[in-house]
Amino acid sequence: MRLRNTRPMDIGSTHVIVTGGSSGIGLATARLLAARGAKLSLVARGAERLEEAAKDVSAAARRASVAARAADVADQRALTRAIAELEDEQAQPCDILVTSAGLARPGHFLDLPDDVFRQMIEVDYFGTLHALRAVAPGMVERGYGSVVAVSSAAGLLGIFGYSAYGPAKFAVRGLMESVRAELTPRGVHVGVVFPPDVDTPQLAEENLWKPEETRVVGGTIKPLTAEKVAAAIVKGIDQRRFTICPDTGTRALARFGGVLMPLLNREFDRRVRAVQRSTPRT
């Protein structure tokens, strides 16, 4: 077994692969790392939007090495092939992996189709797992690397309306906690990010399905920008942090969730009852 490597990463000499890199948190993170001199490889499903994202990241890059491959992260063969092709094109194995690809579909538990529960697990959990399985062996062999997965505040606390999405993000959290224990002694940094609502195209789509109870539970908290979450991710890589929280609310929840949960649940239940009294479901 290689000795543990705790030296900071020289981001300017790394090859970074970002899944979900065509928009939102993934694209914002790619821009920041490109500006630090890293080679960037982007993976996302939509080829047209991915091409535009690659041009965007190229404009921010200190070096012109930006590559992209269209692949569905839920398709293990396609994703593994895309990652291998990107490593060949960049003539460098993956040093940093950021798994930002994800999907959220809120709704009432009794109303959601079974397929939605399956899709959340396939995209949010297995999409993270497939990417991690593709790059982790090489990182362990080299005794060097960083893997960061985007979970969610809904991966810290069960929230009304997220019975499909929340468990998938809890699974991402559990995966990274287990993997951290195995990979850290092998020199690989492991991190997991817990953003609250973030102002992205994904949130706009999510809001089309969000029950009124979910909106009320969330209160009037303003969504974070993707750039703020990206800055937290890059700082987490620099400082080799495991738990990466981009705001004080999720930081408190991650640290004191066990103590706060009964109080939060009581308050959330109060808000839900108020909504349901005023707008009874048929």
Side-chain angles (χ1 to χ4, degrees):
M1 180 183 292
R2 290 178 181 270
L3 295 176
R4 179 177 176 179
N5 181 352
T6 59
R7 73 185 188 274
M9 300 200 74
D10 176 13
I11 286 177
S13 66
T14 61
H15 173 205
V16 181
I17 296 179
V18 181
T19 69
S22 63
S23 66
I25 295 170
L27 177 56
T29 304
R31 288 194 198 107
L32 288 183
L33 292 170
R36 292 272 295 270
K39 297 179 180 179
L40 259 296
S41 292
L42 310 179
V43 179
R45 277 195 308 172
E48 185 175 340
R49 191 163 66 170
L50 185 60
E51 184 179 348
E52 291 301 314
K55 293 177 182 176
D56 182 320
V57 175
S58 292
R62 282 172 47 194
R63 64 170 94 174
S65 187
V66 179
R69 285 293 186 283
D72 184 347
V73 296
D75 183 335
Q76 185 175 17
R77 286 187 179 181
L79 180 59
T80 301
R81 182 171 59 250
I83 288 173
E85 289 175 355
L86 290 166
E87 289 180 319
D88 286 344
E89 181 173 340
Q90 297 280 30
Q92 186 171 345
C94 177
D95 299 298
I96 299 175
L97 171 70
V98 179
T99 62
S100 181
L103 190 62
R105 169 68 158 82
H108 292 98
F109 173 71
L110 297 179
D111 298 338
L112 285 169
D114 290 343
D115 285 350
V116 169
F117 290 87
R118 186 174 297 106
Q119 186 181 37
M120 297 299 101
I121 290 294
E122 288 178 350
V123 174
D124 295 336
Y125 173 69
F126 279 109
T128 298
L129 176 65
H130 297 332
L132 184 56
R133 296 272 287 178
V135 304
M139 291 183 178
V140 168
E141 177 64 26
R142 296 186 299 276
Y144 180 77
S146 175
V147 291
V148 177
V150 177
S151 179
S152 167
L156 293 169
L157 176 70
I159 300 172
F160 189 108
Y162 287 115
S163 57
Y165 174 71
K169 290 301 190 178
F170 265 92
V172 170
R173 171 187 172 187
L175 171 67
M176 301 311 282
E177 287 182 356
S178 299
V179 167
R180 184 212 62 79
E182 294 194 35
L183 298 191
T184 299
R186 309 296 292 272
V188 180
H189 162 249
V190 176
V192 61
V193 192
F194 298 103
D197 281 350
V198 182
D199 187 11
T200 64
Q202 171 58 50
L203 180 62
E205 171 67 20
E206 183 182 332
N207 284 337
L208 298 176
W209 301 95
K210 193 174 287 184
E212 184 60 27
E213 294 95 331
T214 308
R215 299 180 195 278
V216 171
V217 164
T220 58
I221 299 173
K222 185 178 179 181
L224 299 184
T225 64
E227 289 72 22
K228 182 167 183 177
V229 179
I233 290 172
V234 174
K235 185 176 181 180
I237 294 169
D238 281 334
Q239 299 182 352
R240 300 180 70 91
R241 291 182 181 174
F242 174 70
T243 301
I244 302 172
C245 296
D247 71 324
T248 55
T250 51
R251 197 173 301 121
L253 194 58
R255 183 171 296 181
F256 305 113
V259 176
L260 294 174
M261 193 174 297
L263 299 175
L264 290 172
N265 283 338
R266 191 176 303 129
E267 173 59 19
F268 292 161
D269 289 348
R270 183 191 67 78
R271 296 182 187 185
V272 167
R273 284 194 298 269
V275 171
Q276 294 179 342
R277 280 196 300 266
S278 62
T279 55
R281 297 188 68 210
T282 57

